[in-house]
């Protein structure tokens, strides 16, 4: 009789250990709690995959023919069909970089990007003065406030 109880207890213990292991595997894979995807316009979304991988891409994903705003987007706003972005510059960014998971970001050094989501046209890596000039030429208000990605 004691052998039967021992075997049942071992089965329960093994079941609990296997369940705990599977739960650990499920939680360690996939998006984290703070990861998100937020729609910006009909064509583009804001994507956070990790604290260093925050980009803007076409809604259905992207390929080599479609441009994205690579990591690390820090502030943005939408005005009509335009997406206006402030991005933390990468120290080791390649000229035609799209997604690179090993970037080193420069603190307090930003560039600015504007997407015309209807025309799928991107003005990229603008300095602040170029950015203000481009806002003016596109008739986007210069006082449009850029919002932190976590508050947007």
């Amino acid at each position: 009789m004691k052998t039967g109880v021992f075997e049942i207890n071992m089965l329960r213990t093994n079941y609990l250990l296997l369940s705990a292991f599977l739960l650990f595997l499920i939680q360690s894979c996939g998006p984290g709690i703070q990861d998100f995807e937020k729609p910006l316009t009909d064509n583009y979304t804001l994507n956070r995959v990790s604290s260093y991988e925050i980009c803007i891409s076409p809604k259905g994903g992207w390929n080599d023919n479609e441009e994205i705003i690579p990591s690390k987007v820090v502030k943005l706003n939408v005005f009509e069909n335009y997406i206006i972005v402030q991005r933390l510059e990468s120290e080791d960014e390649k000229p035609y970089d799209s997604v690179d998971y090993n970037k080193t970001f420069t603190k307090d050094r930003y560039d600015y990007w504007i997407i015309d989501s209807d025309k799928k046209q991107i003005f990229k890596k603008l300095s602040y003065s170029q950015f203000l000039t481009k806002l003016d030429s596109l008739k986007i208000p210069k006082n449009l406030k850029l919002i932190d990605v976590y508050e947007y």
Side-chain angles (χ1 to χ4, degrees):
M1 184 95 169
K2 288 184 179 180
T3 305
V5 172
F6 178 74
E7 288 175 359
I8 291 173
N9 285 337
M10 284 302 293
L11 284 173
R12 284 185 186 163
T13 302
N14 287 340
Y15 175 75
L16 288 173
L17 287 173
L18 181 61
S19 296
F21 179 71
L22 288 174
L23 185 60
F24 170 76
L25 283 178
I26 290 169
Q27 288 182 342
S28 64
C29 299
I33 292 173
Q34 292 184 337
D35 295 342
F36 55 78
E37 182 176 295
K38 293 182 181 179
L40 299 173
T41 63
D42 289 342
N43 304 326
Y44 286 88
T45 60
L46 170 65
N47 304 288
R48 182 194 187 276
V49 179
S50 74
S51 62
Y52 292 102
E53 298 170 41
I54 304 171
C55 67
I56 294 176
S57 65
K59 265 194 180 163
W62 69 89
N63 57 41
D64 291 339
N65 298 328
E66 293 182 282
E67 299 233 36
I68 68 167
I69 298 180
S71 296
K72 179 178 180 180
V73 172
V74 291
K75 292 183 179 183
L76 74 150
N77 208 335
V78 175
F79 177 78
E80 295 176 355
N81 58 306
Y82 296 104
I83 302 168
I84 299 95
V85 173
Q86 181 184 37
R87 188 184 73 117
L88 196 57
E89 284 186 6
S90 169
E91 290 178 0
D92 48 359
E93 190 165 313
K94 296 164 188 77
Y96 298 100
D97 200 10
S98 58
V99 177
D100 181 3
Y101 299 109
N102 297 313
K103 290 182 181 176
T104 305
F105 295 101
T106 307
K107 186 177 180 178
D108 298 327
R109 209 168 88 199
Y110 303 98
D111 58 14
Y112 297 85
W113 298 55
I114 301 171
I115 298 177
D116 182 336
S117 66
D118 287 344
K119 296 178 183 175
K120 293 190 177 187
Q121 182 178 23
I122 297 183
F123 305 100
K124 53 181 146 179
K125 298 181 183 179
L126 303 171
S127 68
Y128 187 68
S129 61
Q130 291 170 325
F131 171 67
L132 292 176
T133 302
K134 187 52 76 177
L135 288 178
D136 201 32
S137 71
L138 296 172
K139 299 188 180 3
I140 300 170
K142 287 183 183 177
N143 63 350
L144 183 70
K145 183 181 178 192
L146 296 179
I147 301 166
D148 187 277
V149 293
Y150 295 102
E151 296 172 11
Y152 189 83

